[in-house]
Each structure stands twice: as structure tokens, then as C-alpha cells.
Amino acid sequence: MSEEKQVVRRTLSGRVVSDKMEKTVTVLVERRVKHPLYGKVMVQSKKYHADVAKDVAAEGDLVEIEECAPISKTKAWRVTRVLEKAQG
């Protein structure tokens, strides 16, 4: 029986905050989390380095990234598509 194993990869969406590196962009992902004791909704953010092909995403763009095998020491995500281009 040759069943194909379906790989489920995590996807996140965030804003490109830096595109100064070659083949890499820095993506800021924000998520809303409710405080466990006080109940206040807080915004937590984290930056990810993502692999990008040929200047597809520029600074200010909203992109979707997916997890992949490690490409370098800090890069284990890949830009899959640009959701929204930056204005201006």
C-alpha cells in the first residue's frame, strides 16, 4: 500500500518590515491574545525571516508565509503569496 503522506505546513500572515537582504524578507506577524488573569486583549508580535524569490515582496506588503525545512540559521519560512501590495 503506497499511501501518500500529506504534509500539513503552518501558515502565517504578516507585514514585510525589511527587504534589505538578498532573497530574504523580515515579516512581522501580530496576534491578539487574551491575558489569562485580567482578560485584556493584547497584541503580541514576532519577526520571522522568510525566503522570497526575485523581489516578489517589498517593504510594507502583506504576505503569507509557510513553514519549510531550515534554509539557514535563522530562515525556516517561505513566502507563498503576496496578499496585499503596499500603497505608494
Side-chain angles (χ1 to χ4, degrees), residues 11-12 14-16 18 23-27 48-58 61-68 71 75-83:
T11 60
L12 299 170
R15 188 83 45 193
V16 176
S18 173
K23 301 180 187 175
T24 306
V25 292
T26 303
V27 180
Y48 296 94
H49 285 159
D51 190 51
V52 64
K54 290 191 205 159
D55 303 329
V56 173
D61 292 352
L62 186 67
V63 296
E64 183 181 81
I65 59 175
E66 80 171 2
E67 200 172 27
C68 64
I71 299 166
K75 193 164 54 168
W77 293 83
R78 162 183 312 126
V79 174
T80 53
R81 61 190 176 124
V82 177
L83 302 173

Side-chain angles (χ1 to χ4, degrees), residues 16-60:
V16 176
V17 292
S18 173
D19 62 348
K20 292 183 170 87
M21 296 172 274
E22 289 182 24
K23 301 180 187 175
T24 306
V25 292
T26 303
V27 180
L28 181 74
V29 175
E30 292 182 338
R31 60 190 192 101
R32 296 164 59 87
V33 178
K34 196 171 187 179
H35 190 281
L37 179 61
Y38 301 114
K40 179 176 179 174
V41 177
M42 303 176 297
V43 177
Q44 290 184 342
S45 61
K46 186 167 178 178
K47 289 181 183 177
Y48 296 94
H49 285 159
D51 190 51
V52 64
K54 290 191 205 159
D55 303 329
V56 173
E59 192 169 339

